[in-house]
Amino acid sequence: MKSNSKVSLLSGKKIATMAEYGYRDLTVLKKSLRVIGYLCVGIVAIMLYLSIFIIFIYSVNSSSSTTSFGHFTLQWYFKITEHRMLSDAIFNTFLVSICATLISTFLGTLVAIGLHYSSKKFRKHTMLLNNIPLLNADIVTGISLMLIFSLLLKLFPYVFGFPTILVAHIYFTLPYVILNVLPKLSDIDPNLMDAALDLGIKPSKALFKVIFPAIRSGILSGMLMAFTMSFDDFVISYFTTGNGFDNLSIWIYGSIGRKDLTPAVYAFNSIVIFGAMLILIMANIISIRNAKRKKEYENKK
Amino acid sequence: MNKRFRKMAIPYLIWLYLLALVPTFFMVVLIFLDMEGLDTDNIRFTFDNFLQLKEVSTLIALLNSFKYAFISTVICIILGYISAYVLYKSHIRNKFLVLTILILPMWSNLLLRTQALANIMEPHNIITDLLGIKVNENMSLAGSGIAVVIGLVFTYLPFMILPIYTALEKVEPMLEEASLDLGANEFQTFFHVTLPLSFKGVVTGSVMVFLPCMSGFAIPEILGKGNIVMIGNIIEQFFKNMNYNIGSLLAIVILILILVSIAIVNKFDREGETIR
């Protein structure tokens, strides 16, 4: 804002302008920054979704070439089950991640409850070690587990495969469950447990009747995270599998190396994305509706 | 009476010792040995493995890892902070929706996404075919350093946005209002109040982007097409060729870098609230 100080008509004295008080007009700068901001969000959105869009195009492309588009088709979606290797890999992926998620959700919840009631020193020590699987590089985790499992080879020559990959997945998904459940436990009213015990319930039963319902949301979000991590894992699975037990990532890595990736795998990937989108949108609608209902209930009170 | 629940945590500590600490010590021992695979027949004690650290190929790989991870992290910080800030300032107060948008791409297979990116970096690709554009043959990005950086940024950007968004959400809005009331303009408020208070999100995000960028091997392999070798590729090669000793040495090098990064994060984010 360019303006020199004016002279007052009444008193003849100089009046300081806004600019002299240190005010600067930033409207133009603000507007341009806002445009840059939205541009950035747009770029980020493209970055996140470009490859998924390309994968979707491949999945409806009649030609199996990655450079030319024939015509629109849904044939690859029906060929997923026909391709033996692919359907085996998909089955293995689901087998490993569902088993690992269920086991680590159950065990992780129990461990979190145990940690909640443990001494502060013990809890701190365990939580420090709990960060190792979380923050360690995948390649180091994979190699470490492979080395440990190799020690078992003399006793069980066929241990590599489903058992090792399952243990590895439980190993790196447990910390997510624990980290999601632990904060919910400290939100519980401690008297709740005491009341349940006073009323004559067994502690083991109180666990299922009192604590589990109270930490349900933490368990669910931990479970979702564990499944996401397990489902998409490549590096740790790559190092800990064996005896021809391939999950989807390992199979894709091999196929990329051999340059014979079938478009059916793009179709499967698109199904997963659409499924996840549907589930997440539904969960979103449900949570909004619950929040509204809660508000109405509180208003009535 | 709650003491009986304590017992449930003890097996987990043993499990962590067994699967997290024991293998690390095992790797440290392996560094000083020379043997074939895990065969104990021709085992001998040696310091020769350390010579690998002086090899040109290892040094180039380490340098590449640092260079590409650093460039990708800086790009992620800039794009990630701006978009997290715009999301935070927008009227979408629905965190679940933001999380959904960011997490959804992770459900798609990492390798497939990378391969799709590799395909569209070729001069002839599905988009040029659909749009009917002719691209100059020399315009190919495939196999270049830029391709690797693009792959790393596209893949790990959500890991930067999430912690920054979480940190921004925890900034007390009243502090910003107070700053504005006291005469600071929006920019001064941002640089003196919002940015310092959300800085721990940036640190956490940087570590969560930098570490996987540095240690990964699939993205440089697919997008670099063998031209760009990073430390992860070398480790993978050594383990594939059953040379566990040198492989362990390089893995321990990465582990040390990780420990340093965790120490940095702990310094900025004591409560660990942005790590999730």
Side-chain angles (χ1 to χ4, degrees):
Chain A
M1 200 193 225
K2 275 185 195 170
S3 67
N4 298 317
S5 30
K6 290 176 190 160
V7 179
S8 168
L9 290 170
L10 286 173
S11 59
K13 280 179 190 161
K14 275 187 177 177
I15 302 172
T17 57
M18 296 281 271
E20 280 168 352
Y21 276 118
Y23 176 83
R24 270 181 297 160
D25 190 10
L26 299 169
T27 348
V28 178
L29 190 58
K30 254 188 248 170
K31 258 187 193 153
S32 50
L33 278 180
R34 186 169 297 158
V35 171
I36 292 173
Y38 285 131
L39 213 68
C40 242
V41 173
I43 293 171
V44 167
I46 291 173
M47 283 180 164
L48 292 179
Y49 285 93
L50 176 69
S51 45
I52 291 171
F53 180 63
I54 302 286
I55 289 171
F56 176 70
I57 294 179
Y58 285 153
S59 78
V60 293
N61 183 2
S62 64
S63 139
S64 63
S65 145
T66 55
T67 53
S68 61
F69 194 83
H71 58 85
F72 180 87
T73 175
L74 288 176
Q75 58 164 333
W76 300 115
Y77 287 82
F78 299 104
K79 283 192 178 158
I80 296 172
T81 45
E82 279 173 30
H83 199 293
R84 263 290 307 284
M85 302 287 280
L86 175 64
S87 50
D88 278 357
I90 291 171
F91 176 74
N92 290 344
T93 308
F94 275 112
L95 184 69
V96 169
S97 35
I98 290 176
C99 286
T101 307
L102 290 180
I103 295 173
S104 60
T105 308
F106 182 67
L107 294 180
T109 309
L110 291 185
V111 170
I113 295 170
L115 282 174
H116 180 68
Y117 291 112
S118 300
S119 63
K120 201 177 173 195
K121 201 178 148 197
F122 180 83
R123 186 164 60 229
K124 254 192 158 170
H125 181 62
T126 315
M127 289 314 281
L128 191 72
L129 286 175
N130 189 46
N131 280 334
I132 297 179
L134 213 60
L135 296 173
N136 208 344
D138 280 358
I139 196 166
V140 181
T141 307
I143 290 167
S144 314
L145 292 173
M146 186 195 79
L147 288 173
I148 273 289
F149 295 148
S150 308
L151 296 179
L152 294 173
L153 267 182
K154 292 236 164 81
L155 288 172
F156 312 99
Y158 297 109
V159 72
F160 273 93
F162 178 67
T164 48
I165 210 172
L166 182 66
V167 172
H169 278 235
I170 295 171
Y171 170 76
F172 75 79
T173 49
L174 262 174
Y176 290 101
V177 178
I178 294 172
L179 274 179
N180 273 292
V181 172
L182 212 51
K184 294 279 176 231
L185 279 167
S186 34
D187 290 346
I188 302 180
D189 186 349
N191 296 325
L192 214 60
M193 190 68 190
D194 290 341
L197 295 173
D198 277 352
L199 290 168
I201 200 171
K202 276 192 213 145
S204 54
K205 218 172 173 189
L207 197 68
F208 286 98
K209 291 266 178 193
V210 179
I211 297 186
F212 277 4
I215 54 174
R216 206 178 50 192
S217 66
I219 296 177
L220 273 178
S221 58
M223 196 162 130
L224 188 70
M225 252 176 156
F227 187 75
T228 311
M229 293 296 156
S230 171
F231 193 72
D232 194 34
D233 176 67
F234 163 59
V235 179
I236 296 173
S237 310
Y238 180 73
F239 280 106
T240 52
T241 190
N243 292 328
F245 188 89
D246 286 358
N247 72 6
L248 192 60
S249 301
I250 301 170
W251 182 80
I252 290 172
Y253 188 68
S255 298
I256 290 173
R258 279 178 266 119
K259 292 201 191 328
D260 66 346
L261 210 55
T262 159
V265 69
Y266 295 117
F268 172 71
N269 201 71
S270 304
I271 292 178
V272 170
I273 284 291
F274 282 124
M277 211 186 275
L278 216 67
I279 292 170
L280 288 169
I281 289 172
M282 291 229 297
N284 203 1
I285 292 171
I286 290 170
S287 75
I288 289 172
R289 197 187 287 165
N290 280 350
K292 254 186 199 163
R293 204 173 285 164
K294 207 174 170 186
K295 223 178 192 177
E296 276 168 18
Y297 178 72
E298 273 164 9
N299 285 345
K300 267 182 197 165
K301 264 208 305 201
Chain B
M1 81 256 107
N2 286 332
K3 270 181 193 157
R4 56 189 299 167
F5 290 144
R6 287 187 189 178
K7 286 184 203 135
M8 296 190 297
I10 296 166
Y12 185 56
L13 191 65
I14 298 168
W15 158 278
L16 280 175
Y17 270 113
L18 208 64
L19 293 181
L21 289 184
V22 171
T24 313
F25 289 118
F26 190 36
M27 278 201 275
V28 173
V29 173
L30 279 177
I31 292 175
F32 300 102
L33 299 176
D34 181 35
M35 55 197 200
E36 220 161 281
L38 286 174
D39 206 358
T40 42
D41 294 340
N42 292 319
I43 199 163
R44 78 190 167 86
F45 181 83
T46 176
F47 280 108
D48 289 351
N49 293 325
F50 286 97
L51 291 176
Q52 183 66 34
L53 287 181
K54 286 205 292 190
E55 289 274 328
V56 182
S57 59
T58 315
L59 288 177
I60 289 177
L62 266 176
L63 191 73
N64 270 344
S65 292
F66 266 106
K67 192 171 88 184
Y68 291 117
F70 181 75
I71 296 171
S72 313
T73 310
V74 170
I75 296 173
C76 279
I77 290 177
I78 297 168
L79 284 175
Y81 200 99
I82 297 174
S83 43
Y85 191 76
V86 172
L87 280 176
Y88 163 70
K89 282 284 168 194
S90 70
H91 296 292
I92 309 170
R93 274 289 167 268
N94 187 348
K95 193 184 176 188
F96 196 85
L97 190 70
V98 176
L99 283 176
T100 307
I101 293 168
L102 292 176
I103 289 176
L104 196 60
M106 287 188 220
W107 279 72
S108 155
N109 192 286
L110 167 74
L111 297 167
L112 271 190
R113 272 184 285 157
T114 314
Q115 180 61 35
L117 280 180
N119 286 340
I120 58 164
M121 282 174 190
E122 302 285 352
H124 292 293
N125 61 48
I126 195 111
I127 292 181
T128 54
D129 189 59
L130 271 173
L131 300 176
I133 327 167
K134 284 241 162 68
V135 182
N136 193 343
E137 288 286 333
N138 304 326
M139 289 267 286
S140 172
L141 276 174
S144 67
I146 299 171
V148 175
V149 170
I150 289 175
L152 293 174
V153 171
F154 279 35
T155 308
Y156 294 111
L157 195 57
F159 295 98
M160 179 66 82
I161 301 178
L162 281 176
I164 294 179
Y165 185 80
T166 314
L168 279 171
E169 264 198 329
K170 297 216 164 113
V171 174
E172 186 69 59
M174 278 187 216
L175 288 176
E176 287 171 14
E177 282 165 24
S179 157
L180 290 172
D181 277 353
L182 290 169
N185 62 34
E186 272 92 343
F187 295 96
Q188 289 163 329
T189 306
F190 175 75
F191 283 110
H192 290 108
V193 179
T194 317
L195 186 60
L197 282 174
S198 58
F199 191 67
K200 58 187 173 189
V202 178
V203 175
T204 309
S206 307
V207 168
M208 285 172 91
V209 171
F210 187 82
L211 289 180
C213 283
M214 192 189 66
S215 62
F217 68 88
I219 294 175
E221 178 141 342
I222 295 171
L223 288 170
K225 299 205 184 291
N227 298 332
I228 287 152
V229 178
M230 309 234 289
I231 194 72
N233 302 83
I234 295 204
I235 296 178
E236 194 234 337
Q237 283 305 317
F238 276 117
F239 272 88
K240 227 182 190 172
N241 301 332
M242 303 290 275
N243 191 338
Y244 291 174
N245 308 102
I246 296 178
S248 301
L249 174 67
L250 297 175
I252 291 288
V253 171
I254 288 192
L255 195 64
I256 292 168
L257 292 171
I258 290 166
L259 290 178
V260 172
S261 324
I262 293 175
I264 294 173
V265 173
N266 269 338
K267 209 178 156 211
F268 282 98
D269 187 10
R270 273 169 217 281
E271 301 94 43
E273 54 193 17
T274 50
I275 295 185
R276 256 308 148 81

